[in-house]
Amino acid sequence: MHYKAFDNIDEKKFSFVKKARYFFIFSIIITVLGIVTLGVFGLNYGVDFKAGSNVDISFKKDVSSQKAALETYLKDNGFGTPGMTFGAKRVTLRFDDVLTDTKEKALKQGIAEKFDKDASMEVNTVDVEIAKELQGNALKAVLIASIGIAIYVSIRFEWRFAVAAIVKLLHDAFIVISLFSIFRLEVNLPFIVAVLTIIGYSINDTVVIFDRIRENLRFAKLKTTEDIARVVDSSIWQTMSRSINTVMTVLFATVCLLVFGSESIRLFSIAILIGLVFGVYSSVFIASPLWLLLKSKQKPKTNVKSSAAS
Amino acid sequence: MNRRLLTFILIIVVSLGVVGGLSKWVVDDVKLGLDLKGGFEILYEAEPIEAGGKITKESLTETAKSLEARANATGVAEPEVTTEGANRIRVKIAGVTDEAKVRDVLKKPAELTFRSARGCAADAGYCKVELRGSDFTQNGADVRQTNLNEYEITIKMKSASKFAEITREVAKLSTSGTNQLAIYLDDRMLSAPNVSSEINSTDASITGNFARAEAYDLKDTINLGALPLKLTEKYTQSVGATLGKKSLDETVEAGAIATVIILLFMMFFYRLPGIIASISIIVYIWLLLLGFNLIHATLTLPGIAAFILGIGMAVDANIIMAERIREELRSGKSILSSQKSGSKHSFRTIIDSHVTTAIAGLVLFFIGVGSVKGFAVILLLSIILSVLTNVFFSRALLTLLVRSGIVKKKSNFGVKESEVRAL
């Protein structure tokens, strides 16, 4: 797709740099909000991070009329009253106690005999320790990866780009985590993978714009910070078609996963979706202006303050 | 017809032919994870059987091997048993029909012990455990037919001197009539032969009027039973086969729809480069599946998701190049030079963005465990293949086509003549 308005850079055009302040504020607000909700409510951990077992039952026939029967069955057979999500052909049970082997077997048999002999189940039991460990491991990996990326970007570009890229990357990952906390969406092991995917995209996205800034800097006559600011703006505009088209194709993929994909990866898709939207937002509105902010501090010439902050 | 155009057509026909012709073979070969096929996964944490004992790398590997042997003994296909960290073992078994039975076999501790009444109270029976699972040789049990046509089970021990010492001590108990070395499987006593003198040997046998089948069963249990470490389940996932199949179908359908939409989008907005991008993306998907098979990766649900998103990254590489060429065209350059400088400039961008993502992938691969590592493998594989197909292959095709001279209109790149500025 070609967006005509993106071509010629003139004064009338939207300046990302001049409006950067508002986006910085917006991002800071979301981040603070995220820190607060995370601090107060934490994440809504799913079975992977809590003791207990999760049972997903997929029925061949419609069992929506048998909800009460299922509840009674569970109660009468020593399964207690697990949390239940009831769909026409899909029921999710959530046990606070770990379902032992024998009980799991009994449940499978019971469901097959009493309700639907073709029922198919997924049973998950995770030791909290393992999930926490995986989470810690992923966190460690993200931090080390950030350092690695910072080094590469510093070598290929300069350290300011690296700082901006890392801030953006952590911003994107954190926003997804915050939104999952705010909306109380369930966090399970695939969520970790989703956050990693977002980070991958996030870097990819930023580097493309940075690359253009670097290229444009080479040919531009730079006297004042405003000159650099203009280069940043025009670089963002020049890569805008690409930014939009790429995020659109990936969005197609994610929305397809969300709509047609299996229930098991629904939350995974939602996480990716949020990450993509915020990823492209922060590539355009946060990363490059942030670089400019850092860069302008380097050359304390006239007008530095006003152009960097306004 | 000129040679470049011919080469171009030939490459497309051959690559699409290979993809089309061999896709069934490639797809059939993809190893599905248990969440797509049904099956179960258990993560065990190992503890030393004796308090204060240590877990060594050897004992962990040995335990893993023994678990694999147990799983194999139940007849399941390709159990996947791997050790993780210092004290974990992960068992993955896909496509099991009788899951309960396999799990039982895996779990059953079935520890063989030799016990004596040394130092026990008079009515405590054989309270002292003299030898345990880890003292016996792995798979050392066998069935032998005696002269009397009875079946007995022979066991091999690791240390003759230890056995000698024990038998010497036990033999001393003959005064009280408790000089037996009882053989227990878990808490079941199999036999309690008398020990009259020191036996300096690594061989011992269990007699006890076994029927033939009984003897062989026992032999198997003992062989499978000598697990050097105690295992506790830390994580289990079990997926019914129908549910797995449903997840697979739904996710593959989602992927197919997404791919079709993306390809149509590319062709509609980028015209010629879009068509070439579509061909590259198809080749890329095919290679990704092939690469999957070659490194024996297992496709899981998050794997498919990463796969579909990998396609997004592949599309990006094509979009970057096509956009760049369009920019050059709009600046008034000829098609030939736009294509040349557009590919050159976009190449650096694409490589930079791929390398940064690859760094993240490498770190995740080396540090990550479990699903994080699996994700990293797919990520790295898709980056490498993306560079090959969406950068080199795409570029070569476009270069050939442009140089052949049949592309005369800028509109073939989705650029309107009105947008072109004078140089």
Side-chain angles (χ1 to χ4, degrees):
Chain A
M1 203 178 301
H2 177 231
Y3 308 93
K4 215 169 186 177
F6 299 165
D7 285 344
N8 310 307
I9 314 298
D10 54 47
E11 295 307 314
K12 270 177 269 169
K13 226 167 189 182
F14 183 84
S15 165
F16 299 97
V17 172
K18 288 193 182 119
K19 295 284 187 300
R21 191 175 15 176
Y22 303 111
F23 298 109
F24 286 162
I25 292 172
F26 174 69
S27 283
I28 289 169
I29 289 175
I30 295 198
T31 311
V32 171
L33 214 64
I35 293 172
V36 171
T37 38
L38 271 176
V40 178
F41 305 112
L43 284 167
N44 177 19
Y45 283 120
V47 66
D48 290 357
F49 290 97
K50 269 195 220 161
S53 292
N54 195 62
V55 180
D56 241 348
I57 314 167
S58 165
F59 291 99
K60 262 269 161 59
K61 57 185 187 198
D62 197 332
V63 289
S64 40
S65 56
Q66 285 178 286
K67 187 172 178 194
L70 186 62
E71 267 166 10
T72 331
Y73 164 77
L74 290 170
K75 212 168 187 170
D76 293 350
N77 289 276
F79 293 108
T81 43
M84 206 187 273
T85 324
F86 215 88
K89 287 187 171 179
R90 199 178 174 103
V91 177
T92 306
L93 305 175
R94 174 75 171 277
F95 296 90
D96 287 336
D97 298 316
V98 168
L99 214 56
T100 58
D101 257 41
T102 0
K103 274 197 154 178
E104 189 181 321
K105 210 161 117 188
L107 181 67
K108 281 181 181 172
Q109 271 172 4
I111 296 282
E113 278 164 21
K114 294 231 160 54
F115 297 93
D116 184 352
K117 66 175 169 48
D118 293 321
S120 189
M121 291 197 208
E122 171 167 353
V123 182
N124 268 298
T125 302
V126 183
D127 194 288
V128 187
E129 205 183 299
I130 301 286
K132 291 272 179 211
E133 212 179 278
L134 194 64
Q135 198 184 22
N137 180 276
L139 198 67
K140 195 172 109 194
V142 167
L143 292 178
I144 295 179
S146 302
I147 297 169
I149 292 162
I151 294 172
Y152 179 78
V153 175
S154 300
I155 295 170
R156 289 283 290 156
F157 298 81
E158 58 156 350
W159 68 269
R160 289 178 195 84
F161 281 115
V163 172
I166 299 301
V167 168
K168 178 212 143 63
L169 176 160
L170 298 178
H171 164 267
D172 294 351
F174 190 73
I175 282 193
V176 179
I177 297 171
S178 304
L179 287 179
F180 262 64
S181 166
I182 292 170
F183 293 108
R184 312 309 300 151
L185 295 169
E186 213 177 76
V187 171
N188 277 316
L189 288 179
F191 179 75
I192 292 176
V193 177
V195 172
L196 297 178
T197 315
I198 291 161
I199 288 170
Y201 268 110
S202 176
I203 310 161
N204 200 53
D205 218 36
T206 328
V207 167
V208 173
I209 301 181
F210 282 0
D211 202 74
R212 184 55 73 95
I213 296 178
R214 178 177 64 179
E215 189 187 323
N216 287 341
L217 281 176
R218 216 172 292 154
F219 301 106
K221 286 188 194 98
L222 303 170
K223 290 235 171 61
T224 60
T225 315
E226 260 147 31
D227 291 336
I228 309 179
R230 209 165 297 127
V231 168
V232 171
D233 265 340
S234 57
S235 302
I236 296 176
W237 276 119
Q238 282 163 14
T239 48
M240 190 56 88
S241 301
R242 172 263 159 191
S243 296
I244 293 178
N245 285 357
T246 295
V247 82
M248 285 228 298
T249 51
V250 192
L251 276 180
F252 286 150
T254 319
V255 170
C256 280
L257 274 184
L258 198 61
V259 177
F260 305 108
S262 145
E263 199 118 356
S264 333
I265 52 167
R266 190 136 295 166
L267 284 169
F268 176 90
S269 311
I270 291 175
I272 300 268
L273 197 68
I274 298 171
L276 280 176
V277 172
F278 277 93
V280 74
Y281 151 78
S282 62
S283 285
V284 170
F285 296 103
I286 303 288
S288 307
L290 188 62
W291 172 78
L292 183 69
L293 190 70
L294 293 168
K295 186 79 181 169
S296 64
K297 298 268 192 265
Q298 177 201 15
K299 296 182 182 174
K301 284 182 183 169
T302 46
N303 293 336
V304 167
K305 270 218 169 99
S306 61
S307 61
S310 62
Chain B
M1 203 192 268
N2 65 49
R3 259 178 50 205
R4 286 201 179 93
L5 189 61
L6 205 65
T7 321
F8 174 80
I9 292 171
L10 205 68
I11 291 176
I12 291 199
V13 169
V14 169
S15 42
L16 289 185
V18 169
V19 168
L22 294 181
S23 66
K24 195 186 169 317
W25 171 73
V26 170
V27 168
D28 285 350
D29 228 28
V30 171
K31 209 166 118 210
L32 295 174
L34 55 96
D35 50 355
L36 299 173
K37 196 175 169 186
F40 65 94
E41 176 176 345
I42 304 175
L43 183 66
Y44 290 106
E45 193 164 272
E47 275 172 89
I49 288 178
E50 281 158 291
K54 262 191 150 176
I55 299 175
T56 57
K57 206 168 166 54
E58 290 73 42
S59 66
L60 194 66
T61 324
E62 217 172 286
T63 312
K65 272 190 204 146
S66 154
L67 273 179
E68 196 166 342
R70 285 164 178 229
N72 274 325
T74 63
V76 299
E78 294 181 54
E80 204 181 302
V81 183
T82 45
T83 60
E84 259 179 39
N87 62 346
R88 303 237 169 92
I89 298 172
R90 194 182 288 272
V91 179
K92 289 185 191 169
I93 299 176
V96 191
T97 39
D98 191 359
E99 184 195 319
K101 191 186 154 203
V102 179
R103 268 176 94 161
D104 268 355
V105 172
L106 283 181
K107 250 189 85 176
K108 217 182 202 172
E111 199 197 6
L112 186 71
T113 49
F114 280 20
R115 305 182 192 183
S116 75
R118 262 210 292 166
C120 296
D123 54 353
Y126 306 107
C127 73
K128 177 154 175 37
V129 176
E130 300 279 5
L131 290 168
R132 54 178 68 250
S134 52
D135 291 319
F136 304 108
T137 314
Q138 285 280 300
N139 290 321
D142 214 339
V143 172
R144 193 173 62 190
Q145 211 169 0
T146 62
N147 301 335
L148 301 165
N149 264 345
E150 277 184 341
Y151 289 94
E152 63 174 26
I153 296 149
T154 58
I155 314 166
K156 277 208 177 316
M157 269 156 295
K158 284 178 183 161
S159 157
S161 58
K162 192 171 180 183
F163 194 49
E165 192 195 316
I166 292 165
T167 44
R168 188 170 60 233
E169 292 300 318
V170 173
K172 283 181 191 162
L173 296 174
S174 57
T175 46
S176 61
T178 53
N179 57 332
Q180 293 92 16
L181 196 56
I183 301 167
Y184 277 80
L185 193 65
D186 292 335
D187 283 323
R188 178 161 71 107
M189 191 171 84
L190 300 174
S191 67
N194 281 316
V195 178
S196 42
S197 61
E198 178 185 319
I199 307 169
N200 190 357
S201 156
T202 55
D203 298 314
S205 56
I206 309 170
T207 50
N209 295 324
F210 299 120
R212 189 174 180 275
E214 206 184 346
Y216 274 95
D217 265 1
L218 205 56
K219 178 206 86 175
D220 282 342
T221 321
I222 292 171
N223 274 341
L224 298 176
L227 270 190
L229 299 168
K230 199 174 126 202
L231 301 173
T232 30
E233 290 183 356
K234 283 284 174 182
Y235 166 95
T236 64
Q237 184 191 25
S238 107
V239 181
T242 328
L243 191 62
K245 176 96 173 48
K246 200 172 145 219
S247 297
L248 175 68
D249 291 347
E250 282 171 352
T251 313
V252 166
E253 187 192 291
I257 295 171
T259 310
V260 169
I261 295 177
I262 289 173
L263 296 189
L264 287 176
F265 175 89
M266 289 298 288
M267 289 192 262
F268 183 74
F269 288 108
Y270 292 103
R271 309 292 162 87
L272 201 61
I275 294 169
I276 287 173
S278 301
I279 295 167
S280 310
I281 291 165
I282 291 170
V283 173
Y284 164 78
I285 294 172
W286 185 81
L287 281 175
L288 203 53
L289 282 174
L290 187 70
F292 239 76
N293 295 349
L294 290 179
I295 60 169
H296 300 292
T298 309
L299 195 62
T300 57
L301 214 46
I304 292 190
F307 197 97
I308 295 171
L309 293 161
I311 295 172
M313 213 154 76
V315 173
D316 186 43
N318 285 294
I319 288 184
I320 291 174
M321 186 168 85
E323 279 290 340
R324 192 66 202 227
I325 293 173
R326 285 204 330 190
E327 262 179 66
E328 304 284 341
L329 284 171
R330 265 182 232 125
S331 74
K333 285 187 188 162
S334 71
I335 290 179
L336 200 67
S337 70
S338 294
Q339 190 271 327
K340 209 171 160 187
S341 70
S343 324
K344 202 181 97 201
H345 281 122
S346 60
F347 181 72
R348 210 182 38 214
T349 313
I350 297 167
I351 291 298
D352 270 339
S353 65
H354 276 74
V355 170
T356 26
T357 316
I359 290 173
L362 280 172
V363 173
L364 294 180
F365 178 76
F366 285 111
I367 294 181
V369 289
S371 50
V372 175
K373 204 185 194 91
F375 173 79
V377 171
I378 306 175
L379 187 66
L380 288 172
L381 187 68
S382 61
I383 289 170
I384 296 166
L385 293 177
S386 173
V387 171
L388 286 179
T389 49
N390 302 297
V391 179
F392 293 111
F393 187 62
S394 244
R395 217 170 119 174
L397 284 182
L398 199 61
T399 311
L400 269 175
L401 199 61
V402 168
R403 298 237 171 111
S404 73
I406 61 154
V407 190
K408 298 223 166 56
K409 279 192 235 136
K410 291 193 174 182
S411 60
N412 289 334
F413 289 84
V415 172
K416 292 195 193 88
E417 293 295 337
S418 62
E419 295 167 349
V420 178
R421 292 191 297 271
L423 254 182

